[in-house]
Amino acid sequence: MKTAHIHNQGSSTIHLAFDQDRLEALIQEGKLHAADFNCLDKSSKRTVWSMLLSAAARTLQS
């Protein structure tokens, strides 16, 4: 059996990368909200902003 060792270096920030489709699905399902994360570059921010606007439009149409 393998044992996992967790090293906490005092940082509460975790850097992750999501597939665009998976991120969009999490946003649409309400499992992830814009306030939960920060985009690290302008291109990502524009893409996520577009996802959020589309999700909001779908919610208003329902």
Side-chain angles (χ1 to χ4, degrees), residues 19-32 51 55 58:
D19 174 77
Q20 183 174 339
D21 293 335
R22 183 64 186 140
L23 178 61
E24 188 168 10
L26 289 169
I27 290 170
Q28 287 179 2
E29 294 167 6
K31 295 180 180 178
L32 189 63
M51 283 181 200
R58 279 189 291 278

Side-chain angles (χ1 to χ4, degrees), residues 8-16 36-38 40:
N8 187 351
Q9 298 176 355
S11 176
S12 62
T13 301
I14 298 171
H15 300 273
L16 300 172
D36 295 334
F37 61 91
N38 294 311
L40 300 178

Side-chain angles (χ1 to χ4, degrees), residues 46-60:
R46 282 191 297 269
T47 301
V48 170
W49 183 251
S50 178
M51 283 181 200
L52 293 168
L53 289 175
S54 293
R58 279 189 291 278
T59 299
L60 290 174

